[in-house]
Amino acid sequence: MQLIKDVVNCWGKEFKFYFQSKMIYLILFVYATMSAGFVLYVSDFYENTVANMAQFFIYQPGILATIIPVLTMRLWADEYKYNTLELILTQPISIAAVVLGKFLAAWSVAGIMILSSGGIWGMVAFMVNLDNRWIAINYLITFLMAGSLCALASLIAVFCYNAIAAFLGALALCLLTVMANFSYWIEKIIPDNVILNDLVKSFDFKWQFENMIMGQVGVGGGVYFVLLIVAALWTSLIAVEYKRK
Amino acid sequence: MKFGSNKNIRLAFLVAGIFIAAIAFCIIANLCFGSINLDTSDNKRYSLSYETIGFLKANKKNIAIRLYKDKDLGQKSVALERYAGYVRKLLEKYRDNSLGKIDLTIIETIPFTSTQVEAEKSGIKEFELANKEKYVYLGAVFTSEDGKSITIPRLKFERAGQFESDVTQILSVLAADKKPVLGVISSFFRVAEKNNLWEYAANDAFINQLKAREYEVIPLSTGASYIPQNVDAVLVFYPLNLSKITLYALDQYLMRGGRVIVMLDASYDRKFAEDDIYKTYYSGLDKFLQNNGVVYFENTVVGNIKNAFEVLLDGEKIKYAPRMIVDGQSGNEPLINRGLKNLYFSNASYFKYDADNDNINAKVLLETEDGSGEMSADFFANPSYNNFVKMYDTTNKQYPLAILLEGRFKSMFERPLFENTNIGTPPFLSVSVRPGKLLLIGDCDWMNAKLWDNKADEQHGIYDSTYISDNIIFLLRIVDYMTESGYITLASRKNNINISLSEALYHKVVASYQKRKSEIESNLVKIKREKAVLEDKMRRENMPTVKQFKTMEELQRAEIEQIINLQQIDYLIGEKYSNYRSYFNFSVILVVPICLMLIVGIIYAVYEQKTKRKAREYIE
């Protein structure tokens, strides 16, 4: 119970901090503009709209991988800069609560950011019949995927004393995760190996996400993203504890 | 330095360990639960329908499926690559549900190798892509154990919604042992034969679909004296001028356990019966149906205001109830109407089932929903906005539109129609010796494309019907069920958006100018007509008068003016369309994000004010 209270307190503090810094407005604007720009000018959206707005969701991993590092870069760097981490750790609050609170704050902001693209959905739904239930589920999947990117980016932030370094490190890791088309490379190196290809696909970020947004929400995909979050948060926790020692 | 004493190295190992463990867990989860998927797609696109699963379980023949897919499809066309993934997944589901009867092989084609040659030999055709990529193959070959083979040369993305329907249909054709025979009694076929239009009629989508599914379609005359024994079911539609002998043949066919599908527009039938000139067209089917407990209300037609089409009547846009969309019932048995969402009806006749025969089991397959009402059938002779509003009477009753009767029927004849049996008719039966089936649909216009496809050029009755409609699917399923060809294999169509965003925008713009445009067009028609009359008059007279020349000049001027007006409107439509597109882009890229920033800012400012006030109160 105490852990949940601590997490909520920590989340509240971090979440408020995003809005105090005014940075959030710029991030929201850049994200909404980027999403709309990719959809309208890259995906041939006017001619190829499909019921699940797939063209919109397909670009989300790339866009989020670029923007989420901006959200997480100051999560730990400011604590190191102002030496507030030592102060926090002397408080009667567990490290797990701090790590979780910070991650949840970043994830919540990412959620608001994803919701901000609802304007495109609304405007398209006004003109053509969309499958709104499917799109709503795709938004949830995108939110889950954003969570895994937030966890990875905050893991990098734990190791970096500088916000810029945290941003660049997280950007590199997120883009690598999103763009690494493992199954493609395995196919190139060891062709026609169906079993190996299927195995590799199970931890292919892009494949899992596309599979889910195309209507195959499976245990495999869900486990993949949840595991990514758990693994990244657990590692963050260990890293912070090491630093404390 | 002792290995492992450095805490950073230990940390690195720990981190690596965690991620390796996560990947291992992920692989295990995918291996164990990878096949458990929640199908969130529109119309359960990744799941097989009940019809398909029913067929796969009943199928006894071994069928091999070969899916040919370009090895580098992803690099040549991303959309096709995604569609190939979908096709593969669905075909795997066919294999998994077939109890070992279906074998699936995926062959990746490589240009200038034996795989390409094999694909082409099997009938797979190359895609012609806009990006000019060459040697792009995606197709499938289905082969049964007895050597029959059917090929889909190109698996097109546009047909994704019908993929399951297509595959199940192909499999059912390969699995069938004999061709089911459908006899058709229709004045349409009589007219077609008489005018040497049989070939044209055979191109009709419905008949085409039946033939593609290996049905044998036999046209029967409206004066047929008996139904041949090899006919599995008889379809009676547009039954004008049906002779008493044919009625007797149908009646006796039913007594012998036959299956009869009747599509009848009772209000038109009544009109023909009452009219001196057209009375020969009267079908007389009402008595036949009445004998089986189905009573027609010939003076009434039913409609549904809730699911009505919007049409222009006297320049006003109204909801035209006689054209409506009906959803299929959700019952399990029979599967004829399952999953059908948009059955387009026009001018449906009202009938009720009131049989005193306990041996007959009746099932309503389609009926109107809330918002239904009835109106006089005479309304259709001269519909107008005013009489529509006055005459439509909302009753909210559920009117049956299609009904299925199964069991032992009683003959409408008391004695044989022919005393002389030399003509080869079977002996007279007064009651069914075997259970028969009678299916009745309260409308003949079901195969009329105009009812569901606005792009159909002309309203030619059944000529230009298209396969896109749930109406046709319903009819094909009826034929499946009535002929007992095996199984109802026609899965319902899975929705695709068939209108692009640019088209939708364009229609919106055109709609805003529609009234003005139609006014100008009707003026133009009037002027042209007047001009033609005057021209004709001037041609006939040797010396046209000056007044006539002046009138002609005025008409020409007016015509040019109207043409310019029309061109102006077309220009305005184009202009407005591109403006709309720019507004759309502008608002999605700039206005929506700015509004969002403002909303978030305002919420935060209100929250901050509240917190500050609380803090002040606390200090005070």
Side-chain angles (χ1 to χ4, degrees), chain A residues 16 19-20 22 24-26 28-29 32-33 36-37 40-41 45-51 58 112 115-116 119-120 123-124 126-131 133-134 137 152 155 159 184 187-188 191-192 194 199 202-203 207-208 210-212 214-221 223-224 227-228 231-232 234-235 238-239 242-243 245, chain B residues 7-8 10-11 14-15 18-19 21-23 25-27 29-31 33-34 36-47 71-72 75 82 88-89 93 108 157 495-497 499-505 508 577 580-590 592-594 596-598 600-602 604-605 607-608 611:
Chain A
K16 226 186 284 174
F19 291 92
Q20 278 168 350
K22 308 287 184 282
I24 185 73
Y25 303 106
L26 186 67
L28 281 179
F29 182 78
T33 310
L40 295 174
Y41 297 109
F45 194 58
Y46 278 102
E47 303 308 325
N48 293 322
T49 318
V50 288
I58 289 290
I112 293 173
L115 272 184
S116 73
I120 303 173
M123 291 186 81
V124 177
F126 179 66
M127 275 176 275
V128 286
N129 288 326
L130 294 173
D131 182 7
R133 188 182 58 106
W134 192 0
I137 291 169
L152 285 176
L155 168 65
F159 291 102
Y184 173 78
E187 182 63 28
K188 284 270 167 206
D192 301 328
V194 180
L199 281 181
S202 60
F203 54 89
W207 186 85
Q208 291 284 11
E210 286 189 4
N211 205 25
M212 283 170 92
M214 288 302 177
Q216 291 274 279
V217 182
V219 177
V223 164
Y224 173 78
L227 265 181
L228 208 58
W234 194 13
T235 317
I238 290 167
Y242 262 86
K243 277 179 186 283
K245 281 175 193 169
Chain B
K7 71 173 185 178
N8 287 338
R10 266 166 48 202
L11 178 63
L14 207 60
V15 169
I18 288 170
F19 276 89
I23 288 171
F25 196 78
C26 215
I27 291 171
N30 269 278
L31 285 177
F33 311 109
I36 305 170
N37 285 313
L38 178 71
D39 190 353
T40 55
S41 59
D42 185 17
N43 288 151
K44 302 249 175 272
R45 207 171 281 232
Y46 287 91
S47 308
K71 197 172 189 329
D72 299 321
Q75 288 160 17
R82 272 187 207 130
R88 184 184 168 162
K89 264 183 194 147
K93 291 222 161 130
E108 295 200 318
F157 176 70
N495 284 346
N496 257 0
I497 282 192
I499 182 164
S500 67
L501 193 60
S502 57
E503 249 183 295
L505 256 176
K508 259 198 182 330
Y577 168 71
Y580 261 35
R581 226 173 127 144
S582 312
Y583 294 151
F584 183 83
N585 290 1
F586 180 70
S587 47
V588 164
I589 289 179
L590 269 179
V592 173
I594 288 171
L596 186 93
M597 278 166 59
L598 281 174
V600 172
I602 290 165
Y604 182 69
Y607 171 77
E608 212 173 36
T611 320

Side-chain angles (χ1 to χ4, degrees), chain A residues 153-222:
Chain A
S154 57
L155 168 65
I156 294 292
V158 171
F159 291 102
C160 300
Y161 290 89
N162 183 296
I164 302 293
F167 168 73
L168 291 175
L171 182 71
L173 181 66
C174 287
L175 284 178
L176 201 72
T177 312
V178 167
M179 288 175 172
N181 199 345
F182 296 120
S183 46
Y184 173 78
W185 292 112
I186 287 289
E187 182 63 28
K188 284 270 167 206
I189 300 162
I190 315 162
D192 301 328
N193 196 328
V194 180
I195 299 167
L196 190 64
N197 209 298
D198 283 349
L199 281 181
V200 169
K201 267 180 188 168
S202 60
F203 54 89
D204 190 324
F205 191 95
K206 196 171 164 241
W207 186 85
Q208 291 284 11
F209 178 70
E210 286 189 4
N211 205 25
M212 283 170 92
I213 62 158
M214 288 302 177
Q216 291 274 279
V217 182
V219 177

Side-chain angles (χ1 to χ4, degrees), chain A residues 48 214, chain B residues 73-74 76-86 138 157:
Chain A
N48 293 322
M214 288 302 177
Chain B
L73 196 60
K76 291 173 179 174
S77 167
V78 179
L80 267 180
E81 167 76 6
R82 272 187 207 130
Y83 183 50
Y86 166 70
L138 180 64
F157 176 70

Side-chain angles (χ1 to χ4, degrees), chain B residues 423-442:
Chain B
I423 56 170
T425 50
F428 172 73
L429 295 169
S430 59
V431 285
S432 291
V433 287
R434 271 172 55 204
K437 287 177 188 170
L438 175 63
L439 198 146
L440 178 68
I441 299 169

Side-chain angles (χ1 to χ4, degrees), chain A residues 6-167:
Chain A
D6 292 345
V7 169
V8 171
N9 284 336
C10 195
W11 169 80
K13 181 199 148 248
E14 290 293 333
F15 190 64
K16 226 186 284 174
F17 180 73
Y18 276 110
F19 291 92
Q20 278 168 350
S21 71
K22 308 287 184 282
M23 186 73 171
I24 185 73
Y25 303 106
L26 186 67
I27 294 172
L28 281 179
F29 182 78
V30 170
Y31 168 77
T33 310
M34 265 176 91
S35 293
F38 269 98
V39 162
L40 295 174
Y41 297 109
V42 184
S43 74
D44 202 8
F45 194 58
Y46 278 102
E47 303 308 325
N48 293 322
T49 318
V50 288
N52 61 347
M53 271 175 62
Q55 300 95 319
F56 168 76
F57 291 104
I58 289 290
Y59 292 105
Q60 286 306 303
I63 295 169
L64 288 171
T66 320
I67 295 190
I68 281 174
V70 185
L71 290 179
T72 55
M73 67 184 191
R74 290 167 72 179
L75 276 181
W76 293 96
D78 281 0
E79 307 285 5
Y80 298 136
K81 193 177 170 187
Y82 302 113
N83 286 326
T84 46
L85 184 64
E86 302 303 319
L87 195 67
I88 292 169
L89 297 178
T90 55
Q91 301 286 316
I93 182 169
S94 67
I95 302 169
V98 179
V99 171
L100 259 175
K102 280 176 183 287
F103 159 72
L104 286 177
W107 197 9
S108 315
V109 175
I112 293 173
M113 202 167 74
I114 293 165
L115 272 184
S116 73
S117 62
I120 303 173
W121 178 13
M123 291 186 81
V124 177
F126 179 66
M127 275 176 275
V128 286
N129 288 326
L130 294 173
D131 182 7
N132 293 317
R133 188 182 58 106
W134 192 0
I135 294 172
I137 291 169
N138 280 356
Y139 263 103
L140 286 176
I141 294 162
T142 311
F143 181 60
L144 182 65
M145 181 269 291
S148 60
L149 289 177
C150 277
L152 285 176
S154 57
L155 168 65
I156 294 292
V158 171
F159 291 102
C160 300
Y161 290 89
N162 183 296
I164 302 293
F167 168 73

Side-chain angles (χ1 to χ4, degrees), chain B residues 29-296:
Chain B
N30 269 278
L31 285 177
C32 300
F33 311 109
S35 57
I36 305 170
N37 285 313
L38 178 71
D39 190 353
T40 55
S41 59
D42 185 17
N43 288 151
K44 302 249 175 272
R45 207 171 281 232
Y46 287 91
S47 308
L48 295 180
S49 63
Y50 287 92
E51 295 84 11
T52 301
I53 289 171
F55 160 74
L56 290 173
K57 282 186 179 155
N59 174 36
K60 299 274 181 289
K61 269 193 188 169
N62 287 320
I63 297 171
I65 305 175
R66 296 199 310 276
L67 175 69
Y68 288 91
K69 174 188 165 282
D70 196 311
K71 197 172 189 329
D72 299 321
L73 196 60
Q75 288 160 17
K76 291 173 179 174
S77 167
V78 179
L80 267 180
E81 167 76 6
R82 272 187 207 130
Y83 183 50
Y86 166 70
V87 166
R88 184 184 168 162
K89 264 183 194 147
L90 213 67
L91 289 179
E92 281 169 354
K93 291 222 161 130
Y94 271 91
R95 182 195 57 198
D96 298 343
N97 281 285
S98 69
L99 307 172
K101 294 286 167 194
I102 289 178
D103 178 46
L104 173 68
T105 318
I106 292 144
I107 300 162
E108 295 200 318
T109 59
I110 305 165
F112 312 113
T113 62
S114 58
T115 52
Q116 186 194 0
V117 177
E118 192 193 319
E120 283 185 351
K121 266 189 185 167
S122 307
I124 307 293
K125 293 203 171 128
E126 196 184 333
F127 271 85
E128 286 165 14
L129 297 179
N131 59 10
K132 307 277 179 210
E133 285 285 358
K134 292 269 177 196
Y135 314 112
V136 181
Y137 296 94
L138 180 64
V141 183
F142 303 78
T143 315
S144 70
E145 61 182 33
D146 44 17
K148 273 198 281 182
S149 181
I150 297 175
T151 305
I152 302 180
R154 291 186 192 102
L155 283 161
K156 289 183 182 172
F157 176 70
E158 295 83 355
R159 225 178 143 78
Q162 272 167 239
F163 178 70
E164 190 201 335
S165 176
D166 288 345
V167 171
T168 311
Q169 226 183 103
I170 288 171
L171 294 177
S172 70
V173 168
L174 293 176
D177 287 321
K178 84 172 204 19
K179 277 186 173 188
V181 182
L182 179 77
V184 182
I185 297 179
S186 171
S187 58
F188 166 75
F189 285 97
R190 190 170 55 83
V191 172
E193 273 179 306
K194 199 174 163 187
N195 296 317
N196 206 12
L197 289 170
W198 175 249
E199 279 304 310
Y200 187 27
N203 284 332
D204 165 67
F206 177 53
I207 302 296
N208 241 3
Q209 282 297 322
L210 285 175
K211 287 186 173 174
R213 305 175 80 216
E214 301 257 304
Y215 269 90
E216 197 177 326
V217 184
I218 302 175
L220 298 170
S221 158
T222 47
S225 57
Y226 74 99
I227 311 294
Q229 295 236 327
N230 66 331
V231 170
D232 294 309
V234 177
L235 169 67
V236 186
F237 80 109
Y238 284 103
L240 308 178
N241 201 11
L242 211 60
S243 69
K244 200 178 175 184
I245 303 168
T246 310
L247 271 179
Y248 178 77
L250 278 175
D251 177 272
Q252 288 302 299
Y253 177 67
L254 206 56
M255 294 309 114
R256 299 201 308 271
R259 297 105 185 204
V260 182
I261 306 158
V262 176
M263 295 171 77
L264 179 70
D265 195 332
S267 59
Y268 273 100
D269 220 28
R270 172 186 62 94
K271 265 187 195 169
F272 291 138
E274 287 171 359
D275 199 300
D276 282 342
I277 303 166
Y278 294 108
K279 68 180 170 197
T280 50
Y281 289 137
Y282 169 61
S283 73
L285 266 171
D286 53 342
K287 283 173 197 153
F288 169 72
L289 295 171
Q290 212 166 346
N291 180 63
N292 294 312
V294 179
V295 182
Y296 264 108

